[in-house]
Amino acid sequence: MSRHFLDPLFAPAAVAVFGASQRSEAVGTRLYENLLHADFSGAVYAINPKYERLGDETCYASIEQIHEKIDLAVITTPARTVPEIVRQCGEHGVRAAVVVSAGFGEGKGEGAHLQQQVLQQAGQYRMRILGPNCLGIMRPERRLNATFSNSMAQAGSLALVSQSGALCTAILDWADARHIGFSAVVSLGGAADIDFGDILDYLALDPKTRSILLYVEGIHQARRFISGLRVAARFKPVVVVKVGRHKEGSRAVVSHTGAMVGEDDVFDAALQRTGAVRVMTIEQLFAAAQLLATHQRVKNNRLAIVTNGGGPGVMATDRAVDLGISVATLSEDTINKLNEALPGQWSHGNPVDVLGDAPPERYQTAVQACLLDENVDGVLTMLTPQAMTKPEAVARLLVELKRNAHKPLLACWMGETQVKYARELFARYQLPDFQTPEASVEAFAYLNNYHKNQQLLMQVPGPLSSRVKADTEGARLIADGVLSKHRTLMNLLESQALLTAFGMPVNTAILARSANEALVAAESIGFPVALKIQSPDIIHKSDVHGVRLNVIDAYSIRHAYTDLIAGVKAVRSDICIDGVTVEKMISKPHGREIIIGVVRDPVFGPVISFGLGGTAVEVLRDRAVALPPLNSFIARALIRQTRVSELLEEYRDYPAANLDALEHVLRCVSNMVCELPCLKELDINPLLIDDAGATVLDARIVIDSETKLLSQYEHMAIYPYPSELKTKWQLADGTDIVIRPIRPEDAKIEQDFVRRLSPRAKYFRFMQTLQTLTPEMLVRFTQIDYDREMAFIAVVEQAGEEIETGVARYTANPDGETCEFALVVDDRWQHKGIGTHLMNALIQVAAARGLQYMQGEVLADNVDMLNLVLALGFVKTWHPQDRSIVVVTRRL
């Protein structure tokens, strides 16, 4: 059970190559020779019915002639032959195949049909397929080169996963010249089966991999991609470069929000929630990976720059401003230290210009002072090789300072020949070094983005905010009523009702179908009022001049009504008009207009946008997007990404806007997105906000029936924290026990729980001697993916703090049918029914998720555990390789 399902791909003991030949130009020939010439330690078999021998090696007509176990098949034959080859491999017990051949799903018609046949055969034999139309896979440390690349990658700690085989070869050539090594190189090709999510799941726990590089062209399975990224990024840095940044993508053309949200915006928002870092070029890809692999981290973005040239310092400052990096304001104490140590002509601020004649000691003083400054989060040291400069001596002092530095220290030694040895020194001692001011600042920005995204990764909001009351059933009934009339666009009254059901503050409207009804409505509401056209054929009222504002009295209301109707008909005589809505005219002298929207991205599902509202929204394009669900932390981060966030602060005679009220609306929108899969588009524009609160002045909602019947949260790329699974029960002595899914913030109580276990209990749970959880184990146990795994903890409250008394967890296997479970209860809390309650909760969730079998390994002398699971309907069998272990299985 400890063997990963992709081990046959990454660590095969024997490889068979279908299509190996004597033709030098053939892909199969190159691939077979690569395996042999790389000195792969396992067995390599050539399969081609046209030959009996290839060189000194036997060539087999089919896999049936090979009487040894084959872990990995590499197929280079024409597409039409591949389904039958996969079937033969399945019969032979092969568990992984690399399909290098083209002519499948990348085309249409017959190719797509062949691909479906391959997947059906592979599924029947539980075989996993890499490709088709891919370069293959490399594991340099194992001397495995199952690709047709011209060269073998150097061994190292970077893993490269790419959708482009051609780019793989280019990156390998680029890296070879720079002596950059790899733990794995994987070309996904068409990704018909194995995709980013599967590879990331493997690399997350691969001991040879310290950093992961992704080259992305498009995403096939959004939730699997995000899930794999979130798992991997919890353990090691993941750096992503994505092409096609300026493609328009699928968007709702008629929606304000849709016109604002591009495909690339959404990809960025998804990455932010996974803890990964995005870069734009291949050079940045490696720079970010190498920098993050040094484990240098920041807590904020205040950068100090030490330089011996004013020009480079200005260039670095300009790039910092471009990227939103704060040029640190040095403390008075630091300025005093620098005044004492530096010549009088120094810059007296940040950047710290130590002047062109600076000896190594002057650099040392300046850098050390900045590192000790509490206003500084990182230091960039820059050097230009001037006549008096000693690049290598300064580099040695920098390396010494790095040993005791608790903040990132970066170097930018500009030039080439005179700084060559200094750069070699930096490389030897893993001090990040860059050749230009811009690249240096960008590298610091990676650290800052990594810190921010790791914070977002830790957020696990539930589908419904505990601080927001929502009538979800009422909202669903409203949506059902609209769909039953074969409409998708809600009118203003329906939209307001839906928003109200989710707790949003709306400006209530009354529908009037005549001038007299408009008068009655206005008198009921109170003047002044606003009138808005109501028509199922109008998307944006302003397009047809369908709004009249500030109608101040009864003498004006009827004229305003008839004028509005006439004006709209003059623009669009063909439309159906239901009437006019009458609303209270809201006056907020210090109000700011905000837009909040939802659009359904074709890859990542619903996306929430936030920005500056009003009629010029498309022109100003001040917006940011986030994937739901949102909590307070994510909502505030979303707001801070926009320029309008500055307008929400206090300025001139404007008091600061009520951010709590704004956050409340964002969380209400998040609730709506989670609970209404039929929601296709939403525009709240404007939301008027001031220091007193927020009010929705206008809204437009589009729904559809396509996603209405999806299973819970299936429409979302990020599965919410399943707060609905929390239960409470009581022991016989009156002690309250809460059983709930684990959260990232439970790391402390999880660590304390394991520490309290007896040595015997620890051994029964982990099957090894263990004193405490390693940081990696703690992350893995508390930061879980609720879509494919679950962990329930039982907690009691003592002295105002939660104490963990037991935990049960399962992880779904890649087959989508089975899962593996584990259970442990604190020794002092055993024999009280906690284990039974935890397992029952686990079994119910696994069954509800569509899993068919739950399985676990129990030591044979763990009698209490065996009795518990057997009482719950599990059946036991002996482990085939170890008679000290019992395998227990239950059908769900």
Side-chain angles (χ1 to χ4, degrees):
M1 283 185 167
S2 60
R3 185 173 166 84
H4 194 279
F5 74 96
L6 287 183
D7 272 344
L9 177 67
F10 282 92
V15 180
V17 180
F18 289 81
S21 77
Q22 294 177 348
R23 293 184 298 118
S24 60
E25 73 279 6
V27 170
T29 302
R30 171 56 60 87
L31 205 147
Y32 179 61
E33 290 176 348
N34 279 350
L35 280 164
L36 295 179
H37 295 162
D39 296 325
F40 174 56
S41 59
V44 179
Y45 300 95
I47 300 179
N48 191 328
K50 296 179 181 179
Y51 307 99
E52 292 185 358
R53 299 192 70 80
L54 289 176
D56 296 330
E57 303 297 330
T58 302
C59 186
Y60 299 87
S62 69
I63 196 170
E64 285 94 343
Q65 294 182 357
I66 302 173
H67 302 296
E68 304 296 329
K69 185 178 184 299
I70 305 293
D71 297 299
L72 176 63
V74 184
I75 304 171
T76 67
T77 59
R80 66 180 183 278
T81 67
V82 176
E84 175 59 20
I85 290 174
V86 170
R87 186 197 66 77
Q88 294 173 9
C89 289
E91 292 284 350
H92 198 76
V94 178
R95 287 292 171 262
V98 177
V99 180
V100 177
S101 318
F104 291 90
E106 67 271 16
K108 295 181 180 179
E110 180 62 18
H113 178 65
L114 287 172
Q115 179 167 296
Q116 189 59 36
Q117 286 183 305
V118 169
L119 295 179
Q120 287 175 351
Q121 294 289 355
Q124 181 178 346
Y125 296 100
R126 298 195 174 185
M127 184 191 311
R128 300 308 301 267
I129 304 293
L130 180 66
N133 192 20
C134 70
L135 179 71
I137 183 170
M138 286 186 192
R139 285 286 268 175
E141 188 266 340
R142 299 182 65 88
R143 308 303 303 164
L144 172 69
N145 183 6
T147 75
F148 56 92
S149 173
N150 287 328
S151 60
M152 177 72 161
Q154 298 180 31
S157 60
L158 293 175
L160 171 64
V161 187
S162 172
Q163 285 180 314
S164 167
L167 196 78
C168 273
T169 60
I171 289 177
L172 290 176
D173 190 58
W174 188 93
D176 188 60
R178 291 159 177 79
H179 307 291
I180 296 171
F182 295 86
S183 61
V185 177
V186 183
S187 166
L188 293 175
D193 177 27
I194 294 174
D195 206 346
F196 281 112
D198 304 294
I199 301 297
L200 287 165
D201 184 84
Y202 184 90
L203 295 175
L205 299 176
D206 177 32
K208 299 296 182 182
T209 299
R210 291 180 60 193
S211 300
I212 301 171
L213 314 180
L214 301 185
Y215 171 82
V216 179
E217 294 177 346
I219 304 301
H220 301 295
Q221 304 171 41
R223 183 175 281 187
R224 191 78 182 91
F225 174 72
I226 287 182
S227 172
L229 265 180
R230 287 170 71 90
V231 169
R234 289 176 179 125
F235 294 97
K236 51 198 69 171
V238 181
V239 185
V240 182
V241 62
K242 180 183 181 294
V243 295
R245 292 185 292 115
H246 299 296
K247 288 195 306 182
E248 291 301 306
S250 298
R251 57 171 76 176
V253 178
V254 297
S255 167
H256 282 310
T257 307
M260 292 169 59
V261 178
E263 188 179 66
D264 205 56
D265 292 8
V266 181
F267 186 83
D268 264 343
L271 278 193
Q272 289 169 9
R273 293 290 295 277
T274 66
V277 173
R278 184 178 183 182
V279 298
M280 299 303 168
T281 67
I282 298 303
E283 287 84 354
Q284 291 174 353
L285 188 72
F286 283 99
Q290 291 179 303
L291 178 61
L292 291 169
T294 64
H295 301 292
Q296 298 212 41
R297 299 294 181 261
V298 297
K299 293 184 178 179
N300 212 319
N301 70 341
R302 300 167 300 178
L303 179 66
I305 302 168
V306 178
T307 177
N308 69 342
V314 174
M315 294 172 72
T317 301
D318 284 346
R319 190 59 181 143
V321 173
D322 291 341
L323 297 173
I325 298 299
S326 174
V327 179
T329 301
L330 302 179
S331 69
E332 185 178 346
D333 183 53
T334 300
I335 294 291
N336 291 335
K337 288 179 183 177
L338 295 174
N339 281 333
E340 293 175 5
L342 303 184
Q345 297 85 4
W346 81 280
S347 56
H348 298 282
N350 185 20
V352 179
D353 187 351
V354 295
L355 306 181
D357 63 347
E361 294 74 22
R362 193 185 297 170
Y363 262 104
Q364 182 182 32
T365 300
V367 173
Q368 193 165 34
C370 290
L371 285 171
L372 294 173
D373 193 325
E374 292 185 358
N375 294 339
V376 172
D377 300 299
V379 178
L380 167 60
T381 308
M382 306 177 69
L383 180 145
T384 55
Q386 301 181 40
M388 296 73 70
T389 309
K390 298 180 179 179
E392 189 174 353
V394 178
R396 290 189 183 281
L397 287 175
L398 215 60
V399 167
E400 287 301 316
L401 288 172
K402 175 183 176 287
R403 295 182 192 277
N404 299 315
H406 299 293
K407 299 174 183 176
L409 182 57
L410 286 71
C412 175
W413 263 222
M414 300 177 69
E416 194 63 46
T417 304
Q418 296 182 54
V419 298
K420 176 182 177 182
Y421 295 111
R423 289 208 181 113
E424 291 176 357
L425 196 68
F426 290 143
R428 190 181 317 145
Y429 292 98
Q430 294 187 322
L431 194 152
D433 166 47
F434 304 91
Q435 297 185 22
T436 66
E438 294 83 0
S440 308
V441 177
E442 287 165 3
F444 184 76
Y446 304 147
L447 289 174
N448 183 52
N449 291 340
Y450 182 76
H451 171 68
K452 292 191 296 186
N453 293 355
Q454 284 286 309
Q455 288 181 305
L456 287 169
L457 172 63
M458 291 288 288
Q459 308 304 311
V460 285
L464 286 171
S465 169
S466 59
R467 289 159 43 183
V468 177
K469 299 296 182 184
D471 180 7
T472 56
E473 287 305 314
R476 291 181 185 124
L477 289 173
I478 294 170
D480 289 344
V482 174
L483 292 173
S484 69
K485 297 176 182 177
H486 307 290
R487 289 193 292 116
T488 57
L489 178 63
M490 288 187 166
N491 61 42
L492 180 61
L493 299 181
E494 292 162 340
S495 297
Q496 288 188 344
L498 201 67
L499 298 180
T500 301
F502 281 95
M504 279 174 255
V506 301
N507 185 27
T508 306
I510 298 175
L511 178 64
R513 291 184 170 87
S514 68
N516 282 331
E517 287 185 6
L519 173 60
V520 172
E523 290 289 359
S524 302
I525 293 173
F527 289 99
V529 296
L531 304 183
K532 299 176 184 177
I533 197 72
Q534 175 97 330
S535 169
D537 302 322
I538 295 175
I539 295 173
H540 298 299
K541 303 175 186 66
S542 58
D543 294 343
V544 294
H545 311 296
V547 179
R548 298 291 184 273
L549 302 176
N550 236 5
V551 181
I552 60 174
D553 55 38
Y555 292 101
S556 309
I557 188 73
R558 284 187 281 201
H559 174 72
Y561 178 93
T562 55
D563 179 66
L564 176 59
I565 296 291
V568 171
K569 284 186 175 181
V571 177
R572 290 279 306 274
S573 59
D574 59 323
I575 63 172
C576 171
I577 297 178
D578 294 333
V580 170
T581 57
V582 183
E583 303 174 44
K584 180 72 176 176
M585 194 73 196
I586 301 296
S587 175
K588 288 181 180 283
H590 299 130
R592 290 82 148 177
E593 290 188 342
I594 299 296
I595 182 172
I596 295 176
V598 174
V599 67
R600 191 183 299 167
D601 183 79
V603 176
F604 292 101
V607 183
I608 298 173
S609 69
F610 168 85
L612 182 64
T615 55
V617 58
E618 293 100 332
V619 177
L620 297 174
R621 297 183 66 82
D622 176 34
R623 83 284 181 252
V625 298
L627 266 60
L630 307 183
N631 62 7
S632 178
F633 186 93
I634 301 169
R636 297 285 176 131
L638 176 64
I639 295 168
R640 286 194 298 270
Q641 291 180 55
T642 61
R643 295 191 301 275
V644 74
S645 63
E646 298 178 16
L647 291 176
L648 298 175
E649 299 172 359
E650 182 179 355
Y651 71 97
R652 294 185 179 175
D653 60 337
Y654 277 61
N658 189 330
L659 290 185
D660 288 338
L662 180 55
E663 178 198 318
H664 171 83
V665 175
L666 282 168
R667 295 179 75 166
C668 289
V669 171
S670 175
N671 292 352
M672 181 185 294
V673 170
C674 293
E675 298 302 318
L676 294 182
C678 65
L679 181 64
K680 186 177 182 181
E681 295 173 20
L682 164 67
D683 280 336
I684 296 176
N685 185 25
L687 174 77
L688 194 61
I689 183 167
D690 63 6
D691 55 314
T695 305
V696 176
L697 296 188
D698 204 354
R700 189 186 70 86
I701 296 176
V702 177
I703 59 176
D704 68 20
S705 56
E706 292 179 12
T707 53
K708 180 175 177 288
L709 299 178
L710 290 177
S711 60
Q712 193 174 38
Y713 312 130
E714 187 180 345
H715 61 298
M716 300 171 64
I718 298 176
Y719 200 93
Y721 174 77
S723 51
E724 73 279 2
L725 298 179
K726 178 179 177 180
T727 58
K728 186 175 180 180
W729 60 289
Q730 203 172 70
L731 298 181
D733 62 3
T735 302
D736 289 327
I737 304 286
V738 172
I739 292 180
R740 60 170 176 79
I742 203 165
R743 299 187 297 249
E745 54 264 40
D746 293 323
K748 182 181 183 302
I749 65 171
E750 173 78 357
Q751 184 70 280
D752 292 342
F753 167 75
V754 172
R755 286 195 182 112
R756 288 194 307 270
L757 293 175
S758 67
R760 179 179 174 83
K762 289 177 184 176
Y763 188 75
F764 280 160
R765 166 61 180 90
F766 301 104
M767 296 189 185
Q768 59 177 300
T769 302
L770 182 76
Q771 297 302 319
T772 188
L773 296 177
T774 64
E776 293 77 14
M777 294 173 72
L778 197 58
V779 168
R780 189 71 188 90
F781 287 168
T782 58
Q783 299 180 35
I784 70 171
D785 180 349
Y786 301 105
D787 184 38
R788 58 176 177 163
E789 56 188 323
M790 182 56 65
F792 282 105
I793 58 173
V795 297
V796 296
E797 189 171 313
Q798 294 181 353
E801 293 187 357
E802 281 190 328
I803 305 295
E804 185 177 332
T805 63
V807 58
R809 63 180 69 241
Y810 78 72
T811 302
N813 291 318
D815 58 18
E817 298 179 355
T818 62
C819 64
E820 299 178 20
F821 83 91
L823 167 70
V824 62
V825 177
D826 189 322
D827 300 72
R828 296 171 298 173
W829 293 86
Q830 292 179 8
H831 307 293
K832 297 178 182 293
I834 292 175
T836 300
H837 276 78
L838 285 168
M839 284 301 298
N840 279 330
L842 205 64
I843 290 167
Q844 289 175 15
V845 170
R849 300 275 172 85
L851 295 170
Q852 298 180 24
Y853 293 92
M854 181 175 285
Q855 192 173 65
E857 293 181 350
V858 182
L859 289 172
D861 54 351
N862 191 352
V863 178
D864 288 341
M865 174 68 79
L866 286 172
N867 288 338
L868 187 154
V869 295
L870 292 177
L872 291 172
F874 284 77
V875 176
K876 67 176 184 178
T877 57
W878 290 107
H879 192 285
Q881 280 87 42
D882 190 342
R883 298 288 289 182
S884 70
I885 297 175
V886 175
V887 179
V888 293
T889 307
R890 170 179 163 154
R891 186 177 181 87
L892 302 175

